[in-house]
Amino acid sequence: MNPDRYTLGESEEDLALTSAEENRDLALELVRQARREVYIVSYDLDAPVFSNDAFIEALSDFVRITKRTQAHILLQRPNRAVKEGHRLIPLAQRLSSSIRIHRPAPEHSDYFETFMVVDGIGYFKRQQADRYEGIASFKAPIIARELRDLFLTMWERSSPESQVRRLQI
């Protein structure tokens, strides 16, 4: 799979994901093509996918497009990401008005899927956070909107994650 040959909003093909590398490459390409919103649900911020130079740079570039672009992340368990120095955390601390990390409400604490939705049209999803088998598409508006709606429902009930906030001294 070569995700850079797909175009957000145009390429309708369903893509099967089987490895961390495919997840990483797909997440990167989705963020590179995003123009409005990136929503991520992750158990522990999945370092092989989201903690690499290319993804951090692409996410940083994305949130700087305009003041209205936003990246919201629901993170179930921040301990590992914080302890291992996940690269997304300092970026979120520097760009706190554009990148927000929340912890889901208790009623969503048993949600173990990982997904990312971009601009309400592209997505990738894994049924189990600790496995890399999943599906993705650069143009699947019905599925992407369903995931976006689920994300927004979870976000409304979530709270800012204190372990990833920058301490003001």
Side-chain angles (χ1 to χ4, degrees):
M1 180 184 67
N2 187 3
D4 61 351
R5 61 175 241 209
Y6 299 100
T7 303
L8 187 64
E10 294 179 18
S11 304
E12 294 180 344
E13 181 179 346
D14 287 338
L15 306 170
L17 305 173
T18 60
S19 68
E21 294 79 22
E22 288 176 344
N23 278 255
R24 181 195 65 222
D25 294 347
L26 187 88
L28 172 61
E29 195 56 37
L30 283 170
V31 168
R32 282 182 176 160
Q33 295 186 36
R35 292 294 166 252
R36 293 185 318 275
E37 59 193 25
V38 172
Y39 297 140
I40 299 171
V41 173
S42 178
Y43 185 75
D44 62 0
L45 274 182
D46 201 354
V49 176
F50 301 119
S51 187
N52 60 75
D53 290 339
F55 185 83
I56 298 303
E57 182 179 332
L59 190 63
S60 177
D61 290 347
F62 161 72
V63 297
R64 294 168 197 244
I65 292 172
T66 73
K67 291 182 186 275
R68 291 192 308 251
T69 54
Q70 59 186 348
H72 290 172
I73 300 162
L74 286 168
L75 174 59
Q76 291 281 11
R77 301 289 182 266
N79 300 351
R80 182 174 174 189
V82 170
K83 185 170 51 170
E84 294 179 3
H86 197 291
R87 303 208 36 231
L88 202 145
I89 293 171
L91 179 67
Q93 290 170 335
R94 283 193 315 275
L95 301 172
S96 61
S97 63
S98 300
I99 302 173
R100 295 188 179 137
I101 300 175
H102 280 202
R103 180 178 287 217
E107 65 260 29
H108 297 121
S109 64
D110 60 350
Y111 190 86
F112 292 109
E113 294 182 16
T114 292
F115 69 81
M116 182 167 106
V117 181
V118 174
D119 292 349
I121 192 143
Y123 79 96
F124 85 82
K125 180 180 179 181
R126 299 190 326 241
Q127 294 289 96
Q128 298 177 359
D130 60 345
R131 303 203 40 172
Y132 289 103
E133 293 82 17
I135 191 163
S137 178
F138 282 75
K139 184 180 180 186
I142 293 171
I143 296 170
R145 278 194 299 268
E146 288 172 358
L147 291 172
R148 182 180 184 270
D149 290 348
L150 172 61
F151 180 92
L152 293 174
T153 297
M154 292 171 70
W155 185 263
E156 287 174 6
R157 296 178 177 108
S158 69
S159 57
E161 177 48 61
S162 61
Q163 290 190 54
V164 299
R165 280 190 277 186
R166 173 178 274 173
L167 296 176
Q168 303 296 327
I169 298 176

